[in-house]
Amino acid sequence: MITFFLDTNRINARKNCPFMNVLEDIALRGKCELLMPRVAWGEAKIGKNQKRKEKTWSYFYIGLERTKSQKYWYKEVESIIFPSGARTQNEVNDIWILVTAREMNYSLVTNDGASKTQEGGMLGYRIALNKMGINVLRDYEAVEKVLEIIDP
């Protein structure tokens, strides 16, 4: 079974993301697993959006102990997505989310970057991240990937 990590921005509390609806349905049928990195889970459960908080609690999360090796990968990821260094807690969180995905060898489903308003972000640097063993996908790409496996 394939497992995906979900980024904070893929919490589909209002069911407005059609491809996340499909991915969640596939997971409910036991054909894939949707988990969250602990840092993304922590981000998603804060704030005023009660539906998002409730939806977040429906996911299991995996966290890291931040070993010497993981701190090495933190610096490597930071040099790619924030060459001048992470400046905010959100940027630090993004790096740890990517490092966790790498450590667990799970594809990260996100909507972070590669857009007109945000050229970089996780998706904008996914080619470089992929060379480091971090697979970053949009939700529709995750659906395509899991459908290839369950219905070739």
Side-chain angles (χ1 to χ4, degrees):
M1 179 179 359
I2 188 168
T3 300
F4 295 103
F5 260 164
L6 300 181
D7 194 9
T8 308
N9 58 44
R10 295 295 80 199
I11 298 296
N12 190 23
R14 293 190 178 104
K15 297 288 191 185
N16 290 339
C17 305
F19 290 104
M20 283 306 302
N21 292 337
V22 173
L23 199 57
E24 289 169 348
D25 182 58
I26 292 169
L28 284 172
R29 291 186 285 136
K31 303 295 184 182
C32 75
E33 189 172 33
L34 303 177
L35 303 173
M36 295 186 76
R38 179 175 55 203
V39 173
W41 189 87
E43 285 180 338
K45 71 179 182 68
I46 60 173
K48 296 179 182 177
N49 185 329
Q50 189 60 34
K51 284 187 177 188
R52 183 170 114 164
K53 287 180 188 179
E54 290 170 7
K55 180 75 172 202
T56 301
W57 282 98
S58 72
Y59 291 108
F60 288 105
Y61 64 83
I62 295 175
L64 299 178
E65 296 302 317
R66 300 187 181 178
T67 65
K68 188 174 182 180
S69 169
Q70 292 155 358
K71 290 175 184 175
Y72 166 83
W73 285 110
Y74 176 96
K75 288 293 186 192
E76 292 295 306
V77 171
E78 181 180 40
S79 72
I80 291 172
I81 63 173
F82 304 111
S84 298
R87 296 184 178 144
T88 67
Q89 187 61 51
N90 283 344
E91 290 175 351
V92 169
N93 290 351
D94 283 353
I95 297 166
W96 280 116
I97 288 166
L98 289 163
V99 170
T100 306
R102 183 192 180 284
E103 288 291 306
M104 298 308 301
N105 198 29
Y106 295 155
S107 295
L108 178 69
V109 181
T110 188
N111 200 38
D112 182 86
S115 67
K116 290 178 184 176
T117 57
Q118 185 186 12
E119 293 180 21
M122 295 177 185
L123 289 162
Y125 293 108
R126 69 173 155 178
I127 293 171
L129 291 169
N130 193 271
K131 290 177 183 175
M132 298 172 63
I134 303 169
N135 190 26
V136 181
L137 305 171
R138 292 191 183 278
D139 52 11
Y140 73 87
E141 294 168 320
V143 169
E144 289 171 357
K145 187 173 182 175
V146 75
L147 289 178
E148 286 174 7
I149 294 168
I150 66 172
D151 191 27

